[in-house]
Amino acid sequence: MKNGKVYLVGAGPGDAGLITVKGLRAIQKADCIVYDFHINPRLLTYAREDAEFIYAGKRGGHHEMTQDDINRVLVEKAKKGKVVCRLKGGDPFVFGRGGEEAEVLANEGIIFEIIPGISSVIAVPAYAGIPVTHRRVASAFTVITGNEDLSKKERIFTHLRASNSDETMIFLMCVKNLETITDKMINEGLNSKTPSAIIRWGTRPEQKVVTGTISEIAKLAKDHKISPPAILVIGEVVSLREKLNWYERKPLYGQRILITRQLTDDYLKLEELGAELFVFPTINFSPPDDFTELDNSIKNIESYNYIVFPSPRAVNFFFKRFILLGRDVRDLKGVLICVLGQETAHTLKNYGINADIIPDKFNAEAVAELFKKQVIHESPSSIRILYPRSDIALKSFAKAMQNAGVVVDAPETYRTVKPSEHAKRLSRSLMEGKITVATFTSPSSFNNLFEMLKDEVKNVLKDLTIAAIGKTTAKAIEEKGYKVSIIPDRSTIKDMVEAIIIWIKQK
């Protein structure tokens, strides 16, 4: 079998938005992704549904796999013809052992590609408002690993010109040896009053920055319980933080918001305002097991006066089957189309069709009332409505129309299924208090998550701020004993996002 290929990809320091376009493409095309602890889990949501995930660990000295194990997996998967994405925090060649992994691949004759990532060396200080160079303050910077053996007596910092205040010094992986590092710096000539900062979880919602002089930073870090991952920045540039601190001033800074459905553009406003999105879809979708009802409706499409699409997903699954059966938009001549919500309207437009009716309220009951008032007149039995739906959708609209004498066909157009992905990483984030707001867009999005979680995690979920897209979803959540704090006036993702922003700002 022909060998596959391995992409050694730098995932950046933590903020999912800092992945490169080329790195994202490698994730999307990979058959197998071998990833470290420090990468943002949101990046994994861009992978193919059938991609294999292998967790390599590498968390503050605790390793799920040894480096030899990782090397072996990369070689084995590539020799099976797989496209492998080795997803590493920061940049693979900046203290990331990417060079070692590339050597192994080269020795085995396996094609590989290096995709650099944004290193924490520059990104983490930037998110703390600290430029590593500045024309008036620092003309150079040096990067040093902080986990070497620092017990030796030699002057290990001589090459850094420690007395030169024009240079910024950045230590990675430095927490364990912090006191030794700072003592040696002072002993070798660095002014004890030199500004310094230690930054934990830079570029993430839990970013924590402690500043002080080089002589006191080790004690301050201990007092503030700074633990890995963290970097140390030494130099006059640290004094610019007070003026240039931009990230921590964002209105949603510190918020990590759980998204329990596929990510759409409407959620990105939360990210722009400083929140991090933890995307964990609790519902997957697939075609119906039996197409008989849907196919009959499509074959007789000319017989309908209206089609009512309740969701973007209903549009996509319907038209995929519609086109597969040899129909096209010309067959919809004379059929008026109603959609629930602007997102559904936008999805419909992708097929070259503008919606004729977009109700102000986006729930089945409101649409039924609209049809009763504006559509149904003297002969309701002459009206035929097609209502493509999911397997678990409530039939309240169809029943209301049928009670009014209208003929409604509501074929199952797609099925909702529970994802196969386990909730281990989400459970850990919940238990560690990293999630601040949880959002749900349907009863099943909540119920599926509820079934995935263990009892101790379910209890933690009660401490979160919960946002529900509408009253039906809120009722399902409250029936399980949870409090819903945020319900928008209109049942759209955009309105739910705005309600979350207002709630957080008011709080």
Side-chain angles (χ1 to χ4, degrees):
M1 179 182 290
K2 185 179 179 181
N3 283 349
K5 182 175 181 178
V6 177
Y7 291 90
L8 298 175
V9 179
D15 184 337
L18 297 181
I19 186 76
T20 64
V21 173
K22 199 167 187 179
L24 190 61
R25 288 174 182 162
I27 294 171
Q28 292 169 333
K29 70 172 70 171
D31 299 305
C32 173
I33 298 176
V34 182
Y35 66 98
D36 290 343
F37 169 77
H38 288 145
I39 69 114
N40 192 313
R42 179 175 153 192
L43 295 178
L44 301 179
T45 66
Y46 294 104
R48 300 198 325 249
E49 288 187 8
D50 61 343
E52 178 185 8
F53 295 107
I54 298 176
Y55 177 49
K58 290 188 174 292
R59 178 188 187 187
H62 302 284
H63 299 269
E64 197 83 5
M65 297 171 65
T66 66
Q67 188 60 51
D68 287 341
D69 291 336
I70 294 170
N71 295 343
R72 177 181 49 77
V73 166
L74 297 180
V75 170
E76 286 180 357
K77 296 296 180 182
K79 286 191 173 181
K80 290 180 180 178
K82 305 284 187 181
V83 174
V84 182
C85 175
R86 173 70 176 107
L87 201 55
K88 304 169 72 68
D91 179 271
F93 277 12
V94 179
F95 302 124
R97 305 187 79 166
E100 297 173 37
E101 294 173 0
E103 277 190 294
V104 170
L105 297 171
N107 292 338
E108 293 288 339
I110 293 169
I111 298 172
F112 64 89
E113 186 172 327
I114 310 299
I115 301 180
I118 297 177
S119 173
S120 60
V121 169
I122 55 173
V124 169
Y127 270 58
I130 302 171
V132 295
T133 63
H134 189 285
R135 189 170 59 166
R136 295 192 304 271
V137 181
S139 57
F141 69 93
T142 303
V143 184
I144 313 103
T145 176
N147 62 1
E148 298 292 343
D149 180 9
L150 300 175
S151 61
K152 50 192 175 184
K153 296 180 180 181
E154 291 82 8
R155 293 172 58 85
I156 62 174
F157 299 120
T158 300
H159 69 289
L160 301 179
R161 297 177 288 121
S163 60
N164 184 353
S165 61
D166 290 338
E167 183 170 4
T168 303
M169 287 161 279
I170 302 163
F171 286 84
L172 306 184
M173 301 169 286
C174 62
V175 175
K176 181 180 178 181
N177 293 321
L178 186 57
E179 188 171 358
T180 303
I181 291 169
T182 55
D183 285 348
K184 275 187 170 285
M185 293 294 286
I186 294 171
N187 291 337
E188 295 182 14
L190 185 66
N191 189 325
S192 63
K193 300 296 184 183
T194 302
S196 59
I198 189 158
I199 309 161
R200 182 175 192 267
W201 276 121
T203 80
R204 302 291 291 269
E206 60 268 51
Q207 174 175 299
K208 189 173 185 178
V209 184
V210 177
T211 60
T213 66
I214 187 65
S215 62
E216 63 188 2
I217 196 66
K219 182 179 184 305
L220 289 172
K222 187 175 182 180
D223 291 344
H224 287 84
K225 297 180 172 58
I226 297 294
S227 58
I231 76 169
L232 174 66
V233 183
I234 302 170
E236 293 299 328
V237 289
V238 174
S239 61
L240 294 169
R241 168 174 159 77
E242 186 175 350
K243 181 186 293 185
L244 303 183
N245 178 18
W246 59 276
Y247 178 53
E248 293 159 51
R249 291 172 181 162
K250 286 196 169 192
L252 300 191
Y253 166 72
Q255 302 289 331
R256 184 181 273 114
I257 298 175
L258 174 64
I259 310 298
T260 54
R261 54 154 287 166
Q262 282 71 24
L263 186 66
T264 60
D265 289 347
D266 285 334
Y267 287 107
L268 299 183
K269 186 173 182 179
L270 297 168
E271 196 170 62
E272 291 170 5
L273 294 176
E276 182 177 274
L277 305 182
F278 190 113
V279 182
F280 186 86
T282 57
I283 303 175
N284 284 337
F285 304 93
S286 64
D289 289 330
D290 185 352
F291 282 101
T292 302
E293 288 187 3
L294 179 59
D295 287 356
N296 286 337
S297 296
I298 291 174
K299 290 174 184 176
N300 295 289
I301 198 70
E302 296 89 350
S303 68
Y304 295 102
N305 305 100
Y306 298 90
I307 303 176
V308 178
F309 287 110
S311 69
R313 205 155 282 106
V315 173
N316 285 328
F317 275 95
F318 174 83
F319 277 102
K320 184 176 181 180
R321 191 67 180 176
F322 186 80
I323 294 168
L324 186 66
L325 292 179
R327 310 304 297 258
D328 63 38
V329 293
R330 291 172 295 183
D331 297 320
L332 297 175
K333 183 180 179 180
V335 182
L336 298 178
I337 298 180
C338 172
V339 298
L340 275 64
Q342 291 296 335
E343 189 180 349
T344 309
H346 179 74
T347 304
L348 182 68
K349 190 170 288 190
N350 291 338
Y351 293 92
I353 305 170
N354 291 319
D356 299 291
I357 304 171
I358 306 177
D360 292 332
K361 294 184 178 180
F362 308 138
N363 58 70
E365 293 79 5
V367 177
E369 287 301 314
L370 182 147
F371 267 74
K372 287 179 182 179
K373 291 178 181 179
Q374 299 185 16
V375 176
I376 301 172
H377 299 296
E378 296 180 0
S379 55
S381 60
S382 65
I383 298 173
R384 291 178 60 86
I385 298 175
L386 176 60
Y387 184 58
R389 62 177 181 85
S390 74
D391 60 326
I392 62 171
L394 298 174
K395 297 183 181 180
S396 53
F397 170 76
K399 288 181 179 178
M401 292 293 93
Q402 288 166 348
N403 290 338
V406 176
V407 177
V408 179
D409 290 333
E412 181 183 309
T413 306
Y414 63 97
R415 293 184 303 117
T416 59
V417 295
K418 292 180 185 178
S420 57
E421 182 180 4
H422 60 76
K424 183 178 179 180
R425 187 148 196 165
L426 173 59
S427 296
R428 183 167 61 229
S429 293
L430 288 168
M431 293 296 292
E432 292 176 354
K434 292 182 178 179
I435 306 293
T436 56
V437 180
T439 67
F440 300 96
T441 54
S442 67
S444 53
S445 68
F446 174 80
N447 290 332
N448 285 358
L449 178 65
F450 186 82
E451 292 177 14
M452 292 180 190
L453 301 179
K454 296 180 180 179
D455 288 342
E456 62 268 25
V457 187
K458 291 176 183 177
N459 291 331
V460 173
L461 191 60
K462 291 184 177 181
D463 298 329
L464 300 187
T465 297
I466 294 179
I469 199 168
K471 294 180 179 179
T472 302
T473 302
K475 182 180 178 182
I477 297 169
E478 290 166 347
E479 285 176 350
K480 290 285 199 303
Y482 294 83
K483 178 184 176 182
V484 178
S485 300
I486 302 170
I487 308 174
D489 293 332
R490 298 199 310 168
S491 300
T492 71
I493 292 174
K494 185 175 182 179
D495 286 280
M496 181 175 68
V497 164
E498 291 297 334
I500 291 170
I501 293 168
I502 292 170
W503 192 92
I504 292 174
K505 286 182 177 180
Q506 289 176 341
K507 185 181 179 183

